[in-house]
Amino acid sequence: MIKVNKLNKSFGNLHVLKNINLTVKESDVVVLVGASGSGKSTLLRCLNFLEIKNSGQIIIEGEQIEKNTHDLNKIRQKVGMVFQHFNLFPHMTVLQNVIEAPIQVKKQTKQEAIEEGKYLLEKVGLGDKYDVYPSTLSGGQKQRVAIARALAMKPDVMLFDEPTSALDPELVGEVLATMKELAEEGMTMVVVTHEMGFAREVADWAVYMHEGKIIEVGSPNELFDNPKEKRTQAFLSSVL
């Protein structure tokens, strides 16, 4: 689904990603863990071309993507993204938020988009909220709307950038439950998270990043219970 070879990204003099190699197969759930500033979010943003790499290869569904030879909007349709802050349009109802991109970008008919949007809101447990505005929702509900909005584009891969870190603790569970359901349905997912319980329960692979490098990759049980690298051990002992 996704293959990354020797990916490098710098912001000015700051070298944020250093020779990243990563393979994500279809239906894999991969979690990226590591301290803040280790490059996890930048890696996600490179995967859907919100940040443009300096060097290396990004191959999505067998196709090598280059900024100058591809319509990046087409690629972004395949790769959905859910952010830490929900980025909903405040002046639109929940349903309008979900149907905007399919109508504008995919040229879906309004009727089709509405039917699909209502189905997706039902799926994330918000079937009764489609005509309200985001300001009336809790953080957890907003994040579930953001997930429905990303799904409305029928992506092949979903990227989640710390989707629960802006939420009150009691709202985290409802968002993780929605993500778990997606994983069970076979959605390919790459998730930056601090939720180690979720990582252990749902992920196929856990990736530990430190200072822009991938230090260790393993199944969640291997990585969390039996990390081989000293830096991984030190990080996990501080968070688990």
Side-chain angles (χ1 to χ4, degrees):
M1 220 22 138
I2 299 177
K3 195 162 176 53
V4 176
N5 292 322
K6 297 192 172 164
L7 179 68
N8 284 277
K9 173 68 185 169
S10 298
F11 296 104
N13 294 330
L14 189 62
H15 194 175
V16 181
L17 295 177
K18 301 166 186 167
N19 285 327
I20 296 286
N21 295 308
L22 183 69
T23 300
V24 181
K25 298 196 178 83
E26 191 170 349
S27 297
D28 271 358
V29 178
V30 177
V31 295
L32 305 179
V33 299
S36 295
S38 57
K40 308 180 301 292
S41 294
T42 303
L43 174 54
L44 273 201
R45 292 173 73 85
C46 286
L47 292 181
N48 100 332
F49 303 93
L50 289 172
E51 301 291 353
I52 300 301
K53 64 187 171 64
N54 293 99
S55 66
Q57 287 180 316
I58 297 174
I59 298 165
I60 293 182
E61 296 182 331
E63 195 181 3
Q64 186 173 328
I65 311 301
E66 294 298 340
K67 180 188 177 204
N68 45 5
T69 53
H70 283 81
D71 176 356
L72 295 185
N73 284 335
K74 283 211 175 73
I75 307 302
R76 290 193 190 111
Q77 288 178 42
K78 293 182 178 182
V79 184
M81 181 121 175
V82 175
F83 299 87
Q84 184 174 358
H85 298 288
F86 331 110
N87 297 345
L88 298 177
F89 296 118
H91 63 290
M92 292 183 178
T93 65
V94 162
L95 182 62
Q96 286 168 333
N97 265 283
V98 173
I99 67 175
E100 179 73 4
I103 291 173
Q104 298 296 341
V105 181
K106 288 208 146 174
K107 306 298 180 217
Q108 243 183 15
T109 67
K110 188 162 188 185
Q111 198 44 47
E112 206 184 348
I114 286 172
E115 277 169 34
E116 178 78 5
K118 285 184 174 176
Y119 162 76
L120 289 169
L121 287 168
E122 201 73 52
K123 183 181 169 79
V124 299
L126 294 170
D128 57 341
K129 298 284 188 196
Y130 66 88
D131 54 356
V132 306
Y133 286 89
S135 59
T136 66
L137 300 178
S138 72
Q141 289 170 325
K142 286 178 189 167
Q143 194 57 294
R144 285 184 287 149
V145 173
I147 292 172
R149 179 177 62 180
L151 290 173
M153 294 299 285
K154 298 192 170 61
D156 298 332
V157 180
M158 285 279 278
L159 309 177
F160 292 87
D161 189 7
E162 296 195 27
T164 58
S165 63
L167 301 180
D168 294 333
E170 72 273 16
L171 302 175
V172 167
E174 64 192 56
V175 174
L176 294 180
T178 298
M179 292 168 63
K180 189 177 165 191
E181 226 167 88
L182 282 181
E184 284 164 358
E185 289 168 7
M187 174 62 80
T188 308
M189 295 162 58
V190 184
V191 184
V192 172
T193 186
H194 295 295
E195 299 291 335
M196 297 300 170
F198 171 82
R200 191 183 282 273
E201 189 184 353
V202 179
D204 299 297
W205 299 104
V207 175
Y208 171 62
M209 289 183 68
H210 178 73
E211 292 182 353
K213 293 180 179 161
I214 289 180
I215 303 297
E216 192 166 347
V217 179
S219 74
N221 288 346
E222 286 167 358
L223 195 82
F224 296 147
D225 297 338
N226 214 347
K228 296 179 181 65
E229 297 286 334
K230 283 216 163 36
R231 281 170 295 189
T232 318
Q233 291 164 6
F235 170 73
L236 290 171
S237 66
S238 71
V239 297
L240 289 180

